[in-house]
Amino acid sequence: MLGVFICQCGTNISATVDTGAVAAAAAGMRGVAHAESIQYTCSDPGQAAIGAAVREKRLDRIVIAACSPRMHEATFRRALERAGLNPYMMEMVNIREQCSWIHADTGEATMKAVDLVRKAVARIRAHVPLQGGKTAAVRRALVIGGGIAGIRAALDISAAGIPVTLVEKSPSIGGNMARLDKTFPTLDCSSCILTPLMVEIKQHDHIELMTNAEVDDVRGLVGDFQIDIRRRSTCVDEEKCTGCMICQEKCPAPAPDDFNAGLCQSKAISVAFPQAVPLVASLRKQYCRRFNGGKCRLCQKLCPAGAVDYGQEDEVVSRSFGAVVAATGYGHYDWTGSYPTFGKGLYPDVITSAQYERLLSASGPTGGLIRRPSDGAEPRQVAFVSCVGSRDESAGRPQCCSVGCMYTAKQAILTKEHIPDSQSYIFYIDMRAGGKNYEEFVRRAQTRYGAIFIRGRVGRIFPRRGKLVVMGTDTLAGDQVEIEADLVVLAAGLTAAPGAGELARKLNIACDETGFMAEEHPKLRPVEAAAAGVFLAGACQGPKDIPATVAQAGAAAAKVIGLLSRGELETSPMVSAVNPSRCAGCFKCRDVCPFGAIDKDRLADGLVTARVIESLCRGCGICNAACPPGAISLNGYTDKQLLAELVEVLR
Amino acid sequence: MPGKDVKIVGFLCNWCAYAGADMAGMARMEQPAGMRIIRVPCSGRVDPLLVLKAFQEGADGVLVSGCHPGDCHYGSGNYLARRRLELLGRMLPALGIEPERFHYTWVSASEGARWAEIVNTFTEAIKDVDEGS
Ligand SMILES: Cc1cc2nc3c(=O)[nH]c(=O)nc-3n(C[C@H](O)[C@H](O)[C@H](O)COP(=O)(O)OP(=O)(O)OC[C@H]3O[C@@H](n4cnc5c(N)ncnc54)[C@H](O)[C@@H]3O)c2cc1C
C-alpha cells in the first residue's frame, strides 16, 4: 500500500505546480491508497500527517514529492522510521529545484510533476527494505591547515579526548591572522589572541603537529580514511633545532620574506617569524647556494645544535583517521594583472592591505612605524582603495571579499593612531559592516579618527612630484576627485588558497565557482563537505572574518566529535549485492570496481562467483552496469528500479 | 512536427550533475519542460542498455551527465562511463537513431548555469532533428 505526499513548500512549489491536481492524479495511480497535498511536508505537522496516514491506511511505502532529495532525503527517512516503516521504503520526487523553480507555465509544470510522481510510484514498487550495518570508526581526526580555523578546530576536537593530527603546509602555524596587527572590531592585538593558542597546540598531548607538510593521498572513507602526509625536507632536524637563528643571521643567500608579504628580504635558511610555532629554522633549497652549485656550508658549520642536515629527504607518513577538517584558508588576489591603470605593481608606494598590516605591526619590517617603501618617509596622506578584485565584473571578480570594508576602516583608525597628523581617504563602493558592533566601528573611523570616505571607484593611480595621484569619482557629489597621497593601500580581494582545488579533489569534495570549498547546504549542512566525514572550517569555505572563522571551526569540531564519539558509524545499505545463481564468474565487476570491493566466493558445488565486501563497497553501481548477466545489482538503484522510472516518464 | 513536445531522459549522477541541476533551480533558471531526470549515484552506473531502452520507449533524446573528468566522487566512474557511452554513440546511427539525440557531458555541482544551457541547447538540437533541418 502506497502513500503519496505532495509538498506545497509554502508557495515555493504551489505557485507554479497545481499540487492539488498532482495529488488527485496520484490518487488514481496503481497501488496508491493515499494521496494528499501538504503545506510543509518537512514540518512537524507534515511529518505527523505521514505517520497518521501510515497507521490509518496501513501504508508500507511512501512517495514524497517536494524539494531535492539532496536536501531532505535524510529528514524523510527518519520520518518513516518514526512512523514504524523501513526508512528506505521512501522515494523522493524533486518538484521544486527541478520543476516549480525552473518553469513558468503552471500547466506544463503540473504535467511534469505528475510525470515525475508517476515514475516514483512505479519505482517504489521495486523497493525492498534495506538495513544499514555498523562499522568501527577510527578515533583520530586530521585537521588540514594551521590558521586560526585549524588551530581552533584541533583544540576543540582534542578537548573531547579525540587525538588530532594538524598538518600545515608552511613552516609555522598561525596562518594569515599571525600577519595581522590589530583586529576589528575590538582592536585587540592579533598576536596576543593567537600566539597562546599556537603554543597550546605545540604542547598539547593529544595533538600531533606536522609543519612543512601536505596531504599526498587519501584513500578509504568516513570512519577510516587512510591518508599519506608528505613532510617536505627542510634540511633541519626539528628535534635538534632550538630556534636560535644563528643560521639565519649568517646565511649569505637572500630569499623572499613570505611572512612580511614581500616587504623585505629573509634568508634561504630562516625561522618564519619570531613567534613561529614550532620555532625552528627551515631551508628553502631554491634560494640556497649549496643547492645551486655553490660550496657554502655556513649554516651547518655554525649551528650549535648540529641540526642542519643537507641530506634530509621528504618523508611520507601514513595514518588512519575517522574524520577530516579542511581549514586551508584563503589566498591573496594578485591585482597587478587586471588593474593596469594602478601601475601594475611598479610604484613601490602602492601596496596591498596585507602588506600594510605588516607595516603597522610592531613585529613587522619597520618595527611598527609606518614608513613608505620607496624612501622610508612617514606618509601624511594615505589613500585606501576598496574592492580591488572584488565586486568588479570587469576584473572577472563579482564576489565580495566580506572583510575589506572592515579592515580598511581599521587600517584608517590605526594610521591615525600611529601618525596623529595624518589624513586617510577611503574610496569605497558601499560600506559593508553587518557584524555585531561593526557599524559603530566604521562610524568611529569617520567621526573620531577623521577618515574621509569617498563613495566611488578609483580609475587611475599615477606618480606626480613624489606623490601618488589617485583619481576617482565621487558618486555622491557627482564629481571627479583627485587625491594626492604619500601611500596608497589597495584592499585586494580574497581568493581560494593556492592548491585548494587539488586538495579538494583528493578529498573528493566540491569547490564552488569561485574556487572556495563548497558546503553541502548553506543552512542545513554548512560545515559538511560533499564527502561524508569531511568538514570545512574558516576561510577555505569562503571569505570570512575571524569571529565567523572561529565559530565555524567550533561547529566543524562539534561535528567531528559527534561523528567519532560513539566509536562506530552506521553504514549505508545502498551497496551492491550478487545473485549467485546468475553470476557467471566472469569478474568484470572486479575489474571495474574502484574500491577492490569484489571478492571470489567458492560455492559448495565448486562454482566460483563474485561476492561484495560490503565494508569496502561505496555504492557507485559501476559493477551493476558492467555485469553481462545482470547478476550484481546496486541496492536502491537496481535495473528494475531504473527501468520502472524510465518506462513511466516516457509513457 | 513543429511544436511537438520534446521528451528527454537525463541520467544524472548524484554528486555533480544532479547537484548542478539543483543549483540551476535555486538560481531560478528557466528551462524547457521536457527534461525528465533520473538520479543515479554515478554516471558509471548508466548501462548503455538503459540508454537504448529509453530510445525504445520513445525518448526523443537521452542525456547522461556526471562529474568532470578527475572529479568523480568514486574516482573513475566517469571515465568508465565515457568509454561506454562513446562506443554507444558511434553505434546509434546503425540502429537508426540520429547521433544528435544522444549526448553525454560533465557538469559540476556549482555549474547551475551550465546545466540550464545544456538543457536548452540539447532540446533545441533535438527539435532541429525532428524538423529535419
Ligand atoms: C588585510 C587583511 C586584514 C584582515 N583583518 C582582519 C581583522 O582585523 N579582523 C578579522 O576578524 N579578520 C580580519 N581579516 C580576515 C582574517 O585574516 C581571516 O578571517 C582569517 O585569517 C581566516 O583564518 P583561516 O584559518 O580560515 O585561514 P588562514 O589564516 O588563511 O589559514 C590557513 C592555513 O592553512 C594553511 N594551508 C593552506 N593550504 C594548505 C594545504 N593544502 N595543506 C596544509 N596547509 C595548508 C596555510 O598555510 C595557513 O596557515 C583580514 C584579512 C586581510 C586580508
Side-chain angles (χ1 to χ4, degrees), chain A residues 68-70 73 94 97-98 101-103 112 115 119 505 508 619-622 624-626 634 637 639 649-650, chain B residues 7 14-15 18 22 25 28-31 33 35-37 39 41 44-45 50 54 70-74 77 80 84:
Chain A
S68 170
R70 291 176 53 86
E73 196 166 52
N94 186 341
E97 284 84 346
Q98 296 179 8
W101 277 354
I102 55 168
H103 304 308
K112 174 168 168 182
D115 255 19
K119 98 179 159 126
R505 199 165 275 192
N508 227 329
C620 62
I622 295 174
N624 194 149
L634 173 61
Y637 292 94
D639 288 346
V649 289
L650 293 170
Chain B
K7 243 190 192 180
N14 176 57
W15 305 100
Y18 194 92
D22 276 355
R28 314 295 199 272
M29 292 171 176
E30 211 177 321
Q31 297 156 46
M35 173 63 71
R36 298 287 179 269
I37 292 172
R39 184 166 69 129
R45 168 67 187 89
L50 279 172
D71 286 353
C72 175
H73 189 73
Y74 303 102
L80 270 157
R84 287 177 189 148

Short mmCIF file of all heavy atoms in Angstrom, two decimals, chain A residues 68-70 73 94 97-98 101-103 112 115 119 505 508 619-622 624-626 634 637 639 649-650, chain B residues 7 14-15 18 22 25 28-31 33 35-37 39 41 44-45 50 54 70-74 77 80 84:
data_model
loop_
_atom_site.label_atom_id
_atom_site.label_comp_id
_atom_site.label_asym_id
_atom_site.label_seq_id
_atom_site.Cartn_x
_atom_site.Cartn_y
_atom_site.Cartn_z
N SER A 68 14.58 18.90 -3.47
CA SER A 68 15.60 17.94 -3.91
C SER A 68 15.87 16.92 -2.81
O SER A 68 15.96 17.28 -1.63
CB SER A 68 16.90 18.69 -4.23
OG SER A 68 17.94 17.75 -4.44
N PRO A 69 16.05 15.67 -3.19
CA PRO A 69 16.42 14.66 -2.18
C PRO A 69 17.75 15.01 -1.52
O PRO A 69 18.02 14.58 -0.40
CB PRO A 69 16.52 13.36 -2.98
CG PRO A 69 16.59 13.75 -4.41
CD PRO A 69 15.91 15.07 -4.53
N ARG A 70 18.56 15.78 -2.20
CA ARG A 70 19.83 16.19 -1.60
C ARG A 70 19.58 17.07 -0.39
O ARG A 70 20.44 17.27 0.44
CB ARG A 70 20.70 16.92 -2.63
CG ARG A 70 21.21 16.00 -3.73
CD ARG A 70 21.99 16.79 -4.76
NE ARG A 70 23.03 17.58 -4.14
CZ ARG A 70 24.24 17.13 -3.86
NH1 ARG A 70 24.56 15.90 -4.14
NH2 ARG A 70 25.13 17.92 -3.30
N GLU A 73 16.19 14.13 1.95
CA GLU A 73 16.04 12.68 1.93
C GLU A 73 16.23 12.11 3.34
O GLU A 73 15.45 11.28 3.81
CB GLU A 73 17.03 12.05 0.96
CG GLU A 73 16.69 10.63 0.59
CD GLU A 73 17.51 10.18 -0.62
OE1 GLU A 73 18.76 10.31 -0.60
OE2 GLU A 73 16.91 9.71 -1.60
N ASN A 94 11.66 15.29 -6.98
CA ASN A 94 12.12 16.67 -6.91
C ASN A 94 11.21 17.56 -7.78
O ASN A 94 11.41 17.69 -8.98
CB ASN A 94 13.56 16.73 -7.41
CG ASN A 94 14.19 18.09 -7.24
OD1 ASN A 94 13.50 19.09 -7.09
ND2 ASN A 94 15.51 18.13 -7.28
N GLU A 97 13.37 22.28 -7.04
CA GLU A 97 14.55 22.70 -7.82
C GLU A 97 14.44 22.31 -9.29
O GLU A 97 14.92 23.03 -10.15
CB GLU A 97 15.82 22.06 -7.23
CG GLU A 97 16.32 22.69 -5.95
CD GLU A 97 15.61 22.14 -4.72
OE1 GLU A 97 14.55 21.47 -4.89
OE2 GLU A 97 16.08 22.38 -3.60
N GLN A 98 13.83 21.13 -9.55
CA GLN A 98 13.83 20.66 -10.93
C GLN A 98 12.45 20.75 -11.58
O GLN A 98 12.19 20.11 -12.58
CB GLN A 98 14.42 19.25 -10.98
CG GLN A 98 15.90 19.28 -10.54
CD GLN A 98 16.57 17.92 -10.53
OE1 GLN A 98 16.01 16.95 -10.99
NE2 GLN A 98 17.79 17.87 -10.01
N TRP A 101 10.64 25.67 -9.74
CA TRP A 101 11.56 26.82 -9.78
C TRP A 101 12.12 27.09 -11.17
O TRP A 101 12.79 28.11 -11.38
CB TRP A 101 12.70 26.61 -8.78
CG TRP A 101 12.33 27.00 -7.38
CD1 TRP A 101 11.18 27.59 -6.97
CD2 TRP A 101 13.13 26.83 -6.19
NE1 TRP A 101 11.20 27.79 -5.62
CE2 TRP A 101 12.38 27.33 -5.11
CE3 TRP A 101 14.41 26.30 -5.95
CZ2 TRP A 101 12.87 27.33 -3.80
CZ3 TRP A 101 14.89 26.29 -4.66
CH2 TRP A 101 14.12 26.79 -3.58
N ILE A 102 11.91 26.16 -12.11
CA ILE A 102 12.52 26.39 -13.42
C ILE A 102 11.49 26.49 -14.55
O ILE A 102 11.85 26.60 -15.70
CB ILE A 102 13.56 25.30 -13.77
CG1 ILE A 102 12.95 23.90 -13.70
CG2 ILE A 102 14.76 25.39 -12.84
CD1 ILE A 102 13.85 22.82 -14.30
N HIS A 103 10.20 26.42 -14.17
CA HIS A 103 9.18 26.58 -15.21
C HIS A 103 8.22 27.69 -14.81
O HIS A 103 7.96 27.88 -13.63
CB HIS A 103 8.42 25.27 -15.40
CG HIS A 103 9.32 24.11 -15.73
ND1 HIS A 103 10.24 24.17 -16.75
CD2 HIS A 103 9.48 22.90 -15.14
CE1 HIS A 103 10.92 23.03 -16.79
NE2 HIS A 103 10.49 22.25 -15.82
N LYS A 112 4.45 17.99 -15.73
CA LYS A 112 5.76 17.38 -15.46
C LYS A 112 5.78 16.77 -14.07
O LYS A 112 6.29 15.67 -13.87
CB LYS A 112 6.86 18.44 -15.61
CG LYS A 112 8.25 17.94 -15.21
CD LYS A 112 9.35 18.89 -15.64
CE LYS A 112 10.68 18.57 -15.01
NZ LYS A 112 11.73 19.53 -15.40
N ASP A 115 4.12 13.50 -14.09
CA ASP A 115 5.04 12.53 -14.71
C ASP A 115 6.05 12.01 -13.69
O ASP A 115 6.32 10.82 -13.60
CB ASP A 115 5.83 13.23 -15.82
CG ASP A 115 5.34 12.84 -17.20
OD1 ASP A 115 4.19 12.34 -17.28
OD2 ASP A 115 6.09 13.07 -18.16
N LYS A 119 6.63 8.24 -12.07
CA LYS A 119 7.84 7.44 -12.16
C LYS A 119 8.25 6.97 -10.77
O LYS A 119 8.73 5.85 -10.60
CB LYS A 119 8.95 8.21 -12.87
CG LYS A 119 9.95 8.89 -11.97
CD LYS A 119 11.04 9.62 -12.71
CE LYS A 119 11.65 10.65 -11.76
NZ LYS A 119 13.04 10.63 -11.55
N ARG A 505 40.07 17.82 -4.60
CA ARG A 505 39.97 16.64 -5.47
C ARG A 505 40.42 15.39 -4.71
O ARG A 505 39.78 14.35 -4.77
CB ARG A 505 40.86 16.89 -6.68
CG ARG A 505 40.55 16.02 -7.84
CD ARG A 505 41.19 16.56 -9.09
NE ARG A 505 40.36 17.59 -9.72
CZ ARG A 505 40.60 18.04 -10.94
NH1 ARG A 505 41.63 17.60 -11.62
NH2 ARG A 505 39.81 18.96 -11.46
N ASN A 508 37.84 14.40 -2.40
CA ASN A 508 36.57 14.06 -3.03
C ASN A 508 35.46 15.03 -2.66
O ASN A 508 34.31 14.65 -2.47
CB ASN A 508 36.16 12.66 -2.58
CG ASN A 508 35.72 11.84 -3.75
OD1 ASN A 508 35.19 12.40 -4.71
ND2 ASN A 508 35.93 10.55 -3.68
N GLY A 619 28.94 2.02 -3.20
CA GLY A 619 27.63 2.22 -3.80
C GLY A 619 27.61 3.02 -5.08
O GLY A 619 26.65 3.75 -5.33
N CYS A 620 28.65 2.91 -5.91
CA CYS A 620 28.64 3.67 -7.16
C CYS A 620 27.82 2.97 -8.23
O CYS A 620 27.30 3.60 -9.14
CB CYS A 620 30.05 3.93 -7.66
SG CYS A 620 30.97 2.42 -8.05
N GLY A 621 27.76 1.63 -8.16
CA GLY A 621 26.97 0.89 -9.14
C GLY A 621 27.66 0.66 -10.47
O GLY A 621 27.03 0.23 -11.43
N ILE A 622 28.96 0.93 -10.54
CA ILE A 622 29.68 0.71 -11.79
C ILE A 622 29.63 -0.77 -12.17
O ILE A 622 29.47 -1.13 -13.33
CB ILE A 622 31.14 1.21 -11.65
CG1 ILE A 622 31.15 2.73 -11.44
CG2 ILE A 622 31.96 0.85 -12.87
CD1 ILE A 622 32.53 3.30 -11.15
N ASN A 624 27.32 -2.84 -11.49
CA ASN A 624 25.97 -3.14 -11.95
C ASN A 624 25.86 -2.93 -13.46
O ASN A 624 25.30 -3.74 -14.20
CB ASN A 624 24.98 -2.25 -11.19
CG ASN A 624 23.54 -2.69 -11.34
OD1 ASN A 624 22.73 -2.49 -10.44
ND2 ASN A 624 23.19 -3.27 -12.46
N ALA A 625 26.45 -1.84 -13.91
CA ALA A 625 26.37 -1.52 -15.34
C ALA A 625 27.28 -2.42 -16.17
O ALA A 625 27.09 -2.57 -17.36
CB ALA A 625 26.74 -0.06 -15.57
N ALA A 626 28.27 -3.04 -15.51
CA ALA A 626 29.25 -3.83 -16.27
C ALA A 626 28.89 -5.31 -16.34
O ALA A 626 29.46 -6.04 -17.14
CB ALA A 626 30.63 -3.66 -15.65
N LEU A 634 22.93 -2.89 -7.59
CA LEU A 634 23.15 -1.91 -6.54
C LEU A 634 21.84 -1.68 -5.79
O LEU A 634 20.85 -1.23 -6.38
CB LEU A 634 23.65 -0.60 -7.16
CG LEU A 634 23.78 0.58 -6.21
CD1 LEU A 634 24.78 0.27 -5.10
CD2 LEU A 634 24.20 1.83 -6.97
N TYR A 637 19.29 1.19 -6.45
CA TYR A 637 19.39 1.61 -7.86
C TYR A 637 19.47 0.37 -8.75
O TYR A 637 20.33 0.28 -9.63
CB TYR A 637 20.61 2.51 -8.08
CG TYR A 637 20.50 3.85 -7.41
CD1 TYR A 637 21.03 4.05 -6.15
CD2 TYR A 637 19.85 4.91 -8.04
CE1 TYR A 637 20.92 5.29 -5.51
CE2 TYR A 637 19.74 6.14 -7.42
CZ TYR A 637 20.28 6.32 -6.16
OH TYR A 637 20.17 7.54 -5.54
N ASP A 639 18.41 -2.43 -11.63
CA ASP A 639 17.91 -2.30 -13.00
C ASP A 639 16.39 -2.15 -12.99
O ASP A 639 15.82 -1.35 -13.72
CB ASP A 639 18.29 -3.53 -13.83
CG ASP A 639 19.77 -3.56 -14.15
OD1 ASP A 639 20.42 -2.50 -13.97
OD2 ASP A 639 20.28 -4.61 -14.57
N VAL A 649 8.35 7.62 -17.21
CA VAL A 649 8.46 9.02 -17.67
C VAL A 649 8.22 9.14 -19.17
O VAL A 649 7.97 10.23 -19.66
CB VAL A 649 9.81 9.70 -17.34
CG1 VAL A 649 9.92 9.97 -15.87
CG2 VAL A 649 10.99 8.91 -17.85
N LEU A 650 8.32 8.03 -19.87
CA LEU A 650 8.13 8.12 -21.32
C LEU A 650 6.75 7.67 -21.74
O LEU A 650 6.45 7.58 -22.92
CB LEU A 650 9.20 7.28 -22.03
CG LEU A 650 10.62 7.85 -21.85
CD1 LEU A 650 11.66 6.87 -22.34
CD2 LEU A 650 10.75 9.18 -22.59
N LYS B 7 10.68 15.07 -25.44
CA LYS B 7 10.89 14.42 -24.15
C LYS B 7 12.29 13.82 -24.06
O LYS B 7 12.69 13.04 -24.91
CB LYS B 7 9.83 13.32 -23.93
CG LYS B 7 8.98 13.67 -22.73
CD LYS B 7 8.07 12.58 -22.29
CE LYS B 7 7.09 13.16 -21.28
NZ LYS B 7 6.16 12.16 -20.80
N ASN B 14 24.48 11.75 -8.82
CA ASN B 14 24.00 12.44 -7.62
C ASN B 14 24.93 13.56 -7.18
O ASN B 14 24.48 14.57 -6.66
CB ASN B 14 23.88 11.40 -6.50
CG ASN B 14 23.47 12.03 -5.19
OD1 ASN B 14 22.44 12.68 -5.11
ND2 ASN B 14 24.29 11.87 -4.17
N TRP B 15 26.25 13.39 -7.39
CA TRP B 15 27.21 14.27 -6.72
C TRP B 15 27.49 15.54 -7.48
O TRP B 15 27.73 16.58 -6.87
CB TRP B 15 28.50 13.50 -6.45
CG TRP B 15 28.22 12.28 -5.68
CD1 TRP B 15 28.11 11.01 -6.19
CD2 TRP B 15 27.93 12.19 -4.28
NE1 TRP B 15 27.79 10.14 -5.18
CE2 TRP B 15 27.68 10.83 -4.01
CE3 TRP B 15 27.88 13.11 -3.25
CZ2 TRP B 15 27.35 10.38 -2.73
CZ3 TRP B 15 27.57 12.67 -1.98
CH2 TRP B 15 27.31 11.31 -1.73
N TYR B 18 23.51 16.19 -10.87
CA TYR B 18 22.21 16.38 -10.21
C TYR B 18 22.26 17.60 -9.31
O TYR B 18 21.33 18.42 -9.27
CB TYR B 18 21.84 15.13 -9.40
CG TYR B 18 20.39 15.10 -8.96
CD1 TYR B 18 19.41 14.48 -9.73
CD2 TYR B 18 20.00 15.71 -7.76
CE1 TYR B 18 18.09 14.46 -9.34
CE2 TYR B 18 18.66 15.70 -7.36
CZ TYR B 18 17.72 15.07 -8.15
OH TYR B 18 16.40 15.07 -7.76
N ASP B 22 20.15 21.08 -9.48
CA ASP B 22 19.54 21.72 -8.31
C ASP B 22 19.97 23.19 -8.21
O ASP B 22 19.18 24.07 -7.89
CB ASP B 22 19.97 21.00 -7.02
CG ASP B 22 19.09 19.78 -6.73
OD1 ASP B 22 18.11 19.56 -7.46
OD2 ASP B 22 19.39 19.07 -5.75
N GLY B 25 18.11 25.33 -10.38
CA GLY B 25 16.79 25.57 -9.80
C GLY B 25 16.84 26.64 -8.73
O GLY B 25 16.01 27.54 -8.69
N ARG B 28 16.77 29.83 -10.07
CA ARG B 28 15.54 30.05 -10.84
C ARG B 28 15.82 30.24 -12.34
O ARG B 28 15.29 31.15 -12.98
CB ARG B 28 14.78 31.28 -10.32
CG ARG B 28 14.61 31.38 -8.81
CD ARG B 28 13.74 30.26 -8.25
NE ARG B 28 13.21 30.58 -6.94
CZ ARG B 28 13.84 30.32 -5.78
NH1 ARG B 28 15.04 29.75 -5.78
NH2 ARG B 28 13.27 30.62 -4.63
N MET B 29 16.66 29.36 -12.88
CA MET B 29 16.98 29.47 -14.31
C MET B 29 15.98 28.69 -15.12
O MET B 29 15.94 27.46 -15.08
CB MET B 29 18.39 28.92 -14.56
CG MET B 29 19.47 29.79 -13.95
SD MET B 29 21.05 28.99 -14.04
CE MET B 29 22.09 30.29 -13.37
N GLU B 30 15.18 29.39 -15.89
CA GLU B 30 14.10 28.75 -16.62
C GLU B 30 14.64 27.80 -17.69
O GLU B 30 15.61 28.12 -18.37
CB GLU B 30 13.19 29.80 -17.24
CG GLU B 30 11.76 29.31 -17.32
CD GLU B 30 10.82 30.36 -17.88
OE1 GLU B 30 10.99 31.53 -17.54
OE2 GLU B 30 9.92 29.96 -18.63
N GLN B 31 13.99 26.66 -17.80
CA GLN B 31 14.44 25.65 -18.76
C GLN B 31 13.23 25.01 -19.44
O GLN B 31 12.15 25.02 -18.89
CB GLN B 31 15.22 24.54 -18.02
CG GLN B 31 16.49 25.01 -17.33
CD GLN B 31 16.89 24.10 -16.18
OE1 GLN B 31 16.89 22.88 -16.31
NE2 GLN B 31 17.22 24.69 -15.04
N ALA B 33 10.56 22.27 -20.48
CA ALA B 33 9.94 21.35 -19.51
C ALA B 33 10.03 19.88 -19.92
O ALA B 33 9.50 19.02 -19.25
CB ALA B 33 8.49 21.73 -19.28
N MET B 35 12.63 17.84 -20.00
CA MET B 35 13.68 17.02 -19.37
C MET B 35 13.12 16.20 -18.21
O MET B 35 12.44 16.74 -17.34
CB MET B 35 14.79 17.96 -18.89
CG MET B 35 15.88 17.31 -18.07
SD MET B 35 16.84 16.05 -18.94
CE MET B 35 17.78 17.06 -20.06
N ARG B 36 13.39 14.91 -18.22
CA ARG B 36 12.99 14.04 -17.10
C ARG B 36 14.26 13.44 -16.51
O ARG B 36 14.92 12.63 -17.16
CB ARG B 36 12.08 12.91 -17.58
CG ARG B 36 10.77 13.39 -18.18
CD ARG B 36 9.83 13.91 -17.10
NE ARG B 36 8.59 14.38 -17.67
CZ ARG B 36 8.38 15.64 -18.06
NH1 ARG B 36 9.34 16.54 -17.94
NH2 ARG B 36 7.22 16.00 -18.57
N ILE B 37 14.57 13.86 -15.30
CA ILE B 37 15.84 13.45 -14.72
C ILE B 37 15.70 12.17 -13.90
O ILE B 37 14.80 12.04 -13.08
CB ILE B 37 16.42 14.59 -13.85
CG1 ILE B 37 16.84 15.76 -14.75
CG2 ILE B 37 17.60 14.10 -13.03
CD1 ILE B 37 17.25 16.99 -14.02
N ARG B 39 17.92 10.05 -11.28
CA ARG B 39 19.13 10.20 -10.47
C ARG B 39 19.84 8.86 -10.33
O ARG B 39 19.21 7.85 -10.03
CB ARG B 39 18.74 10.73 -9.08
CG ARG B 39 19.91 11.02 -8.18
CD ARG B 39 19.51 11.85 -6.96
NE ARG B 39 18.68 11.11 -6.03
CZ ARG B 39 18.93 11.03 -4.71
NH1 ARG B 39 19.97 11.63 -4.20
NH2 ARG B 39 18.13 10.36 -3.93
N PRO B 41 23.73 7.11 -8.78
CA PRO B 41 24.85 7.51 -7.92
C PRO B 41 26.04 8.02 -8.73
O PRO B 41 26.74 8.93 -8.30
CB PRO B 41 25.21 6.24 -7.15
CG PRO B 41 24.51 5.12 -7.84
CD PRO B 41 23.37 5.70 -8.60
N GLY B 44 28.88 6.19 -14.09
CA GLY B 44 29.35 4.82 -14.35
C GLY B 44 28.27 3.78 -14.10
O GLY B 44 28.41 2.63 -14.48
N ARG B 45 27.19 4.16 -13.44
CA ARG B 45 26.08 3.24 -13.21
C ARG B 45 25.22 3.11 -14.48
O ARG B 45 24.41 2.20 -14.60
CB ARG B 45 25.22 3.75 -12.03
CG ARG B 45 23.85 3.06 -11.83
CD ARG B 45 24.03 1.60 -11.41
NE ARG B 45 22.77 0.85 -11.37
CZ ARG B 45 22.25 0.20 -12.40
NH1 ARG B 45 22.86 0.22 -13.58
NH2 ARG B 45 21.13 -0.48 -12.28
N LEU B 50 20.36 0.84 -20.77
CA LEU B 50 19.35 1.76 -20.25
C LEU B 50 19.09 2.88 -21.26
O LEU B 50 17.95 3.31 -21.46
CB LEU B 50 19.83 2.40 -18.93
CG LEU B 50 19.68 1.57 -17.64
CD1 LEU B 50 20.38 2.27 -16.49
CD2 LEU B 50 18.21 1.37 -17.31
N ALA B 54 15.65 3.57 -23.26
CA ALA B 54 14.97 4.87 -23.28
C ALA B 54 14.53 5.21 -24.70
O ALA B 54 13.40 5.66 -24.92
CB ALA B 54 15.88 5.95 -22.72
N GLY B 70 38.26 13.59 -13.60
CA GLY B 70 39.12 13.89 -12.46
C GLY B 70 38.35 14.20 -11.19
O GLY B 70 38.89 14.12 -10.10
N ASP B 71 37.06 14.54 -11.33
CA ASP B 71 36.29 14.93 -10.15
C ASP B 71 35.31 13.85 -9.67
O ASP B 71 34.51 14.11 -8.79
CB ASP B 71 35.46 16.19 -10.45
CG ASP B 71 36.33 17.43 -10.52
OD1 ASP B 71 37.53 17.31 -10.20
OD2 ASP B 71 35.81 18.50 -10.88
N CYS B 72 35.35 12.69 -10.28
CA CYS B 72 34.35 11.66 -9.95
C CYS B 72 34.38 11.36 -8.46
O CYS B 72 35.44 11.15 -7.87
CB CYS B 72 34.61 10.40 -10.75
SG CYS B 72 33.51 9.02 -10.30
N HIS B 73 33.20 11.32 -7.87
CA HIS B 73 33.07 11.01 -6.44
C HIS B 73 33.65 9.64 -6.13
O HIS B 73 34.05 9.38 -5.00
CB HIS B 73 31.58 11.07 -6.07
CG HIS B 73 31.33 10.99 -4.61
ND1 HIS B 73 31.60 12.02 -3.75
CD2 HIS B 73 30.85 9.98 -3.84
CE1 HIS B 73 31.28 11.67 -2.52
NE2 HIS B 73 30.82 10.43 -2.55
N TYR B 74 33.64 8.77 -7.12
CA TYR B 74 34.14 7.42 -6.91
C TYR B 74 35.48 7.21 -7.62
O TYR B 74 35.91 6.09 -7.81
CB TYR B 74 33.11 6.40 -7.40
CG TYR B 74 31.77 6.57 -6.73
CD1 TYR B 74 30.72 7.21 -7.39
CD2 TYR B 74 31.55 6.13 -5.42
CE1 TYR B 74 29.49 7.39 -6.78
CE2 TYR B 74 30.32 6.31 -4.81
CZ TYR B 74 29.30 6.93 -5.49
OH TYR B 74 28.09 7.13 -4.87
N GLY B 77 34.55 6.48 -12.09
CA GLY B 77 33.27 6.11 -12.71
C GLY B 77 33.00 6.85 -14.00
O GLY B 77 32.51 6.28 -14.97
N LEU B 80 34.90 5.41 -16.98
CA LEU B 80 34.26 4.21 -17.49
C LEU B 80 33.03 4.56 -18.31
O LEU B 80 32.80 4.02 -19.39
CB LEU B 80 33.84 3.32 -16.32
CG LEU B 80 34.90 2.33 -15.89
CD1 LEU B 80 34.68 1.91 -14.46
CD2 LEU B 80 34.84 1.11 -16.81
N ARG B 84 32.20 3.71 -22.32
CA ARG B 84 30.99 3.01 -22.76
C ARG B 84 30.12 3.88 -23.65
O ARG B 84 29.62 3.45 -24.68
CB ARG B 84 30.15 2.64 -21.54
CG ARG B 84 30.69 1.53 -20.72
CD ARG B 84 29.77 1.37 -19.52
NE ARG B 84 30.33 0.45 -18.54
CZ ARG B 84 30.13 0.57 -17.24
NH1 ARG B 84 29.41 1.56 -16.77
NH2 ARG B 84 30.65 -0.30 -16.42
#
